[in-house]
Amino acid sequence: FTGAKTGYVADIFKNGSGTDLKTGDVVKLKNAPIARFYGNDNKIPVPEITLAFTPDDECIIGVVDRRAIQPGNENSSPVTENEAGQPDITVVPDGEECYVVTLGVYARCKADAASGPIKRGSLLTTSSTPGCAQIAVSPKIGRILGKALEPLDEGTGYIAVLVNMQ
């Protein structure tokens, strides 16, 4: 290989939240057995996830990217269409698999500035607002999602982040 890695790394997880997950949601590991294994010799686990909803959650895992549509999987629920008539892969129904950004830069992370304004370079953790990141007021190892790449002064919204679990 030559050159640098570009973009982000996403791993497959199963939505075990009981509700739809959406692109940008901050998620955590669910207290459940591994949903399945795949890959050479079944060495890659597919854990279940749910929305993060507790500040500084030690089970934080990343940011939902999109639904992982498995061709030929008759167990998958139908994919809805967006306004343009294209498949809407930004919504992940309960029980379906999705790609979760676990490392790298990502443009759409839900964030909440209720615990303080988020500045460029702020460390981020989970929030009490379900599916949102917030500024890590007292950063703790194992509870950091990564770093904010743009600010959010108030309210909730989407910001670019560098996902770098710490």
Side-chain angles (χ1 to χ4, degrees):
F1 293 103
T2 62
K5 175 201 90 65
T6 58
Y8 53 85
V9 174
D11 293 294
I12 297 177
F13 292 84
K14 181 179 178 183
N15 178 2
S17 68
T19 188
D20 290 346
L21 295 176
K22 296 175 183 67
T23 296
D25 281 339
V26 176
V27 290
K28 68 177 196 163
L29 291 171
K30 184 176 178 180
N31 186 11
I34 299 296
R36 71 179 181 94
F37 292 86
Y38 74 100
N40 290 341
D41 298 324
N42 285 322
K43 291 182 182 174
I44 304 172
V46 178
E48 285 193 46
I49 54 169
T50 189
L51 281 174
F53 56 87
T54 305
D56 296 319
D57 197 310
E58 66 186 8
C59 289
I60 187 170
I61 203 68
V63 180
V64 173
D65 177 34
R66 67 187 189 284
R67 186 173 176 186
I69 299 171
Q70 305 296 327
N73 184 353
E74 60 282 343
N75 296 325
S76 290
S77 55
V79 178
T80 58
E81 293 184 349
N82 60 22
E83 294 89 28
Q86 301 296 316
D88 185 2
I89 58 174
T90 64
V91 177
V92 183
D94 183 48
E96 295 289 324
E97 292 181 356
C98 60
Y99 295 109
V100 174
V101 179
T102 55
L103 179 66
V105 293
Y106 191 66
R108 294 188 52 83
C109 176
K110 288 183 183 175
D112 185 355
S115 66
I118 298 171
K119 299 176 174 42
R120 282 179 193 89
S122 293
L123 292 178
L124 301 173
T125 187
T126 54
S127 165
S128 59
T129 304
C132 286
Q134 71 176 16
I135 189 168
V137 178
S138 301
K140 296 178 182 92
I141 291 184
R143 299 167 190 230
I144 301 297
L145 171 67
K147 210 171 259 225
L149 298 178
E150 53 189 357
L152 180 66
D153 293 329
E154 59 186 26
T156 60
Y158 290 90
I159 61 171
V161 296
L162 168 61
V163 176
N164 185 16
M165 305 297 290
Q166 301 175 34

